[in-house]
Amino acid sequence: AQSVTQLDSHVSVSEGTPVLLRCNYSSSYSPSLFWYVQHPNKGLQLLLKYTSAATLVKGINGFEAEFKKSETSFHLTKPSAHMSDAAEYFCVVSDTAAGNKLTFGGGTRVLVKP
Amino acid sequence: EADIYQTPRYLVIGTGKKITLECSQTMGHDKMYWYQQDPGMELHLIHYSYGVNSTEKGDLSSESTVSRIRTEHFPLTLESARPSHTSQYLCASSEYGGTDQETQYFGPGTRLLVL
């Protein structure tokens, strides 16, 4: 069975400072991993995905994530937060053994202070 | 920007009414999904489909039903709405067997309030 744990339910940063959203996963086989962002009253938008290619994945809006198999982690980072980054972020795992079903983490709500 | 649409975006309805939430996509994707998301919570899969005439129940039990008569259309129906059905419903689609098969693209969601 696969699972995802987002270690922080809320993260508060000042504009212009780095953002770190932590995610740990468990999966039986080689997983695909995703980060989605959800702005208020909007659907989910794909930020980036890892599918067994390069372990450092670059996404949209300056975000990137590093896949670390030894730590079963897929943390999301951005060097400099912008006010528009305030949203909820979901770490997601997909496993071919599970029929490519997505399993979502509990979400991390990001607050950006001016 | 994904070409997947949901209507209505917001729905307030009384108990006992029958409702249908519409989802359509223009990407030609074979696989489609319905998720339920309570406020501040993660998404839970309630239905999915591999293609026309295929429907499967997801991980979370739901009193809703779905149909897949056309590739681009995956409506969700509640025969008799109850307050416990109040939630956000998100539709998604993905390729089947393509190079991007794991990536699901989401619609904007339908927020349902049952009084």
Side-chain angles (χ1 to χ4, degrees), chain A residues 97-110:
Chain A
N100 288 331
K101 291 181 186 178
L102 299 188
T103 298
F104 284 77
T108 299
R109 187 169 294 277
V110 172

mmCIF file with all atom_site columns, all heavy atoms in Angstrom, chain A residues 97-110:
data_model
loop_
_atom_site.group_PDB
_atom_site.id
_atom_site.type_symbol
_atom_site.label_atom_id
_atom_site.label_alt_id
_atom_site.label_comp_id
_atom_site.label_asym_id
_atom_site.label_entity_id
_atom_site.label_seq_id
_atom_site.pdbx_PDB_ins_code
_atom_site.Cartn_x
_atom_site.Cartn_y
_atom_site.Cartn_z
_atom_site.occupancy
_atom_site.B_iso_or_equiv
_atom_site.pdbx_formal_charge
_atom_site.auth_seq_id
_atom_site.auth_comp_id
_atom_site.auth_asym_id
_atom_site.auth_atom_id
_atom_site.pdbx_PDB_model_num
ATOM 1  N N   . ALA A 1 97  ? 1.670  -0.413 -9.440  1.00 0.00 ? 97  ALA A N   1
ATOM 2  C CA  . ALA A 1 97  ? 1.107  -1.587 -8.770  1.00 0.00 ? 97  ALA A CA  1
ATOM 3  C C   . ALA A 1 97  ? -0.287 -1.303 -8.232  1.00 0.00 ? 97  ALA A C   1
ATOM 4  O O   . ALA A 1 97  ? -1.048 -2.213 -7.958  1.00 0.00 ? 97  ALA A O   1
ATOM 5  C CB  . ALA A 1 97  ? 2.021  -2.043 -7.635  1.00 0.00 ? 97  ALA A CB  1
ATOM 6  N N   . ALA A 1 98  ? -0.605 -0.033 -8.049  1.00 0.00 ? 98  ALA A N   1
ATOM 7  C CA  . ALA A 1 98  ? -1.927 0.364  -7.560  1.00 0.00 ? 98  ALA A CA  1
ATOM 8  C C   . ALA A 1 98  ? -2.781 0.903  -8.699  1.00 0.00 ? 98  ALA A C   1
ATOM 9  O O   . ALA A 1 98  ? -3.691 1.699  -8.461  1.00 0.00 ? 98  ALA A O   1
ATOM 10 C CB  . ALA A 1 98  ? -1.775 1.414  -6.459  1.00 0.00 ? 98  ALA A CB  1
ATOM 11 N N   . GLY A 1 99  ? -2.463 0.483  -9.918  1.00 0.00 ? 99  GLY A N   1
ATOM 12 C CA  . GLY A 1 99  ? -3.273 0.912  -11.058 1.00 0.00 ? 99  GLY A CA  1
ATOM 13 C C   . GLY A 1 99  ? -3.153 2.388  -11.365 1.00 0.00 ? 99  GLY A C   1
ATOM 14 O O   . GLY A 1 99  ? -4.078 2.995  -11.894 1.00 0.00 ? 99  GLY A O   1
ATOM 15 N N   . ASN A 1 100 ? -2.003 2.972  -11.019 1.00 0.00 ? 100 ASN A N   1
ATOM 16 C CA  . ASN A 1 100 ? -1.785 4.410  -11.226 1.00 0.00 ? 100 ASN A CA  1
ATOM 17 C C   . ASN A 1 100 ? -2.763 5.273  -10.450 1.00 0.00 ? 100 ASN A C   1
ATOM 18 O O   . ASN A 1 100 ? -3.004 6.418  -10.798 1.00 0.00 ? 100 ASN A O   1
ATOM 19 C CB  . ASN A 1 100 ? -1.818 4.782  -12.706 1.00 0.00 ? 100 ASN A CB  1
ATOM 20 C CG  . ASN A 1 100 ? -0.588 4.303  -13.435 1.00 0.00 ? 100 ASN A CG  1
ATOM 21 O OD1 . ASN A 1 100 ? 0.472  4.190  -12.846 1.00 0.00 ? 100 ASN A OD1 1
ATOM 22 N ND2 . ASN A 1 100 ? -0.732 4.006  -14.702 1.00 0.00 ? 100 ASN A ND2 1
ATOM 23 N N   . LYS A 1 101 ? -3.341 4.727  -9.384  1.00 0.00 ? 101 LYS A N   1
ATOM 24 C CA  . LYS A 1 101 ? -4.205 5.553  -8.543  1.00 0.00 ? 101 LYS A CA  1
ATOM 25 C C   . LYS A 1 101 ? -3.353 6.543  -7.773  1.00 0.00 ? 101 LYS A C   1
ATOM 26 O O   . LYS A 1 101 ? -2.241 6.248  -7.365  1.00 0.00 ? 101 LYS A O   1
ATOM 27 C CB  . LYS A 1 101 ? -4.976 4.675  -7.557  1.00 0.00 ? 101 LYS A CB  1
ATOM 28 C CG  . LYS A 1 101 ? -6.022 3.798  -8.195  1.00 0.00 ? 101 LYS A CG  1
ATOM 29 C CD  . LYS A 1 101 ? -6.746 2.980  -7.130  1.00 0.00 ? 101 LYS A CD  1
ATOM 30 C CE  . LYS A 1 101 ? -7.691 1.981  -7.760  1.00 0.00 ? 101 LYS A CE  1
ATOM 31 N NZ  . LYS A 1 101 ? -8.361 1.143  -6.741  1.00 0.00 ? 101 LYS A NZ  1
ATOM 32 N N   . LEU A 1 102 ? -3.909 7.718  -7.572  1.00 0.00 ? 102 LEU A N   1
ATOM 33 C CA  . LEU A 1 102 ? -3.206 8.743  -6.816  1.00 0.00 ? 102 LEU A CA  1
ATOM 34 C C   . LEU A 1 102 ? -3.568 8.637  -5.341  1.00 0.00 ? 102 LEU A C   1
ATOM 35 O O   . LEU A 1 102 ? -4.730 8.445  -4.994  1.00 0.00 ? 102 LEU A O   1
ATOM 36 C CB  . LEU A 1 102 ? -3.582 10.130 -7.313  1.00 0.00 ? 102 LEU A CB  1
ATOM 37 C CG  . LEU A 1 102 ? -3.270 10.468 -8.771  1.00 0.00 ? 102 LEU A CG  1
ATOM 38 C CD1 . LEU A 1 102 ? -3.547 11.950 -9.022  1.00 0.00 ? 102 LEU A CD1 1
ATOM 39 C CD2 . LEU A 1 102 ? -1.851 10.118 -9.133  1.00 0.00 ? 102 LEU A CD2 1
ATOM 40 N N   . THR A 1 103 ? -2.563 8.780  -4.497  1.00 0.00 ? 103 THR A N   1
ATOM 41 C CA  . THR A 1 103 ? -2.791 8.895  -3.059  1.00 0.00 ? 103 THR A CA  1
ATOM 42 C C   . THR A 1 103 ? -2.289 10.265 -2.637  1.00 0.00 ? 103 THR A C   1
ATOM 43 O O   . THR A 1 103 ? -1.123 10.605 -2.876  1.00 0.00 ? 103 THR A O   1
ATOM 44 C CB  . THR A 1 103 ? -2.057 7.791  -2.289  1.00 0.00 ? 103 THR A CB  1
ATOM 45 O OG1 . THR A 1 103 ? -2.560 6.524  -2.696  1.00 0.00 ? 103 THR A OG1 1
ATOM 46 C CG2 . THR A 1 103 ? -2.274 7.953  -0.788  1.00 0.00 ? 103 THR A CG2 1
ATOM 47 N N   . PHE A 1 104 ? -3.162 11.033 -1.996  1.00 0.00 ? 104 PHE A N   1
ATOM 48 C CA  . PHE A 1 104 ? -2.851 12.411 -1.641  1.00 0.00 ? 104 PHE A CA  1
ATOM 49 C C   . PHE A 1 104 ? -2.365 12.516 -0.212  1.00 0.00 ? 104 PHE A C   1
ATOM 50 O O   . PHE A 1 104 ? -2.858 11.811 0.684   1.00 0.00 ? 104 PHE A O   1
ATOM 51 C CB  . PHE A 1 104 ? -4.100 13.284 -1.791  1.00 0.00 ? 104 PHE A CB  1
ATOM 52 C CG  . PHE A 1 104 ? -4.433 13.612 -3.218  1.00 0.00 ? 104 PHE A CG  1
ATOM 53 C CD1 . PHE A 1 104 ? -5.035 12.678 -4.042  1.00 0.00 ? 104 PHE A CD1 1
ATOM 54 C CD2 . PHE A 1 104 ? -4.149 14.866 -3.734  1.00 0.00 ? 104 PHE A CD2 1
ATOM 55 C CE1 . PHE A 1 104 ? -5.337 12.980 -5.356  1.00 0.00 ? 104 PHE A CE1 1
ATOM 56 C CE2 . PHE A 1 104 ? -4.453 15.178 -5.048  1.00 0.00 ? 104 PHE A CE2 1
ATOM 57 C CZ  . PHE A 1 104 ? -5.044 14.234 -5.861  1.00 0.00 ? 104 PHE A CZ  1
ATOM 58 N N   . GLY A 1 105 ? -1.418 13.423 0.022   1.00 0.00 ? 105 GLY A N   1
ATOM 59 C CA  . GLY A 1 105 ? -1.076 13.819 1.377   1.00 0.00 ? 105 GLY A CA  1
ATOM 60 C C   . GLY A 1 105 ? -2.161 14.729 1.933   1.00 0.00 ? 105 GLY A C   1
ATOM 61 O O   . GLY A 1 105 ? -3.091 15.113 1.224   1.00 0.00 ? 105 GLY A O   1
ATOM 62 N N   . GLY A 1 106 ? -2.022 15.062 3.218   1.00 0.00 ? 106 GLY A N   1
ATOM 63 C CA  . GLY A 1 106 ? -3.040 15.852 3.883   1.00 0.00 ? 106 GLY A CA  1
ATOM 64 C C   . GLY A 1 106 ? -3.046 17.322 3.491   1.00 0.00 ? 106 GLY A C   1
ATOM 65 O O   . GLY A 1 106 ? -3.966 18.050 3.851   1.00 0.00 ? 106 GLY A O   1
ATOM 66 N N   . GLY A 1 107 ? -2.017 17.754 2.763   1.00 0.00 ? 107 GLY A N   1
ATOM 67 C CA  . GLY A 1 107 ? -1.957 19.143 2.326   1.00 0.00 ? 107 GLY A CA  1
ATOM 68 C C   . GLY A 1 107 ? -1.179 20.022 3.282   1.00 0.00 ? 107 GLY A C   1
ATOM 69 O O   . GLY A 1 107 ? -1.139 19.774 4.501   1.00 0.00 ? 107 GLY A O   1
ATOM 70 N N   . THR A 1 108 ? -0.523 21.039 2.731   1.00 0.00 ? 108 THR A N   1
ATOM 71 C CA  . THR A 1 108 ? 0.162  22.064 3.515   1.00 0.00 ? 108 THR A CA  1
ATOM 72 C C   . THR A 1 108 ? -0.341 23.412 3.054   1.00 0.00 ? 108 THR A C   1
ATOM 73 O O   . THR A 1 108 ? -0.255 23.739 1.869   1.00 0.00 ? 108 THR A O   1
ATOM 74 C CB  . THR A 1 108 ? 1.693  22.006 3.318   1.00 0.00 ? 108 THR A CB  1
ATOM 75 O OG1 . THR A 1 108 ? 2.187  20.749 3.751   1.00 0.00 ? 108 THR A OG1 1
ATOM 76 C CG2 . THR A 1 108 ? 2.370  23.127 4.103   1.00 0.00 ? 108 THR A CG2 1
ATOM 77 N N   . ARG A 1 109 ? -0.874 24.171 3.995   1.00 0.00 ? 109 ARG A N   1
ATOM 78 C CA  . ARG A 1 109 ? -1.370 25.504 3.648   1.00 0.00 ? 109 ARG A CA  1
ATOM 79 C C   . ARG A 1 109 ? -0.248 26.504 3.836   1.00 0.00 ? 109 ARG A C   1
ATOM 80 O O   . ARG A 1 109 ? 0.343  26.581 4.913   1.00 0.00 ? 109 ARG A O   1
ATOM 81 C CB  . ARG A 1 109 ? -2.570 25.862 4.519   1.00 0.00 ? 109 ARG A CB  1
ATOM 82 C CG  . ARG A 1 109 ? -3.251 27.163 4.098   1.00 0.00 ? 109 ARG A CG  1
ATOM 83 C CD  . ARG A 1 109 ? -4.586 27.330 4.806   1.00 0.00 ? 109 ARG A CD  1
ATOM 84 N NE  . ARG A 1 109 ? -5.550 26.305 4.397   1.00 0.00 ? 109 ARG A NE  1
ATOM 85 C CZ  . ARG A 1 109 ? -6.302 26.372 3.297   1.00 0.00 ? 109 ARG A CZ  1
ATOM 86 N NH1 . ARG A 1 109 ? -6.186 27.414 2.501   1.00 0.00 ? 109 ARG A NH1 1
ATOM 87 N NH2 . ARG A 1 109 ? -7.163 25.418 3.023   1.00 0.00 ? 109 ARG A NH2 1
ATOM 88 N N   . VAL A 1 110 ? 0.058  27.247 2.791   1.00 0.00 ? 110 VAL A N   1
ATOM 89 C CA  . VAL A 1 110 ? 1.151  28.224 2.827   1.00 0.00 ? 110 VAL A CA  1
ATOM 90 C C   . VAL A 1 110 ? 0.588  29.622 2.961   1.00 0.00 ? 110 VAL A C   1
ATOM 91 O O   . VAL A 1 110 ? -0.284 30.028 2.181   1.00 0.00 ? 110 VAL A O   1
ATOM 92 C CB  . VAL A 1 110 ? 2.027  28.111 1.563   1.00 0.00 ? 110 VAL A CB  1
ATOM 93 C CG1 . VAL A 1 110 ? 3.042  29.246 1.509   1.00 0.00 ? 110 VAL A CG1 1
ATOM 94 C CG2 . VAL A 1 110 ? 2.730  26.762 1.515   1.00 0.00 ? 110 VAL A CG2 1
#
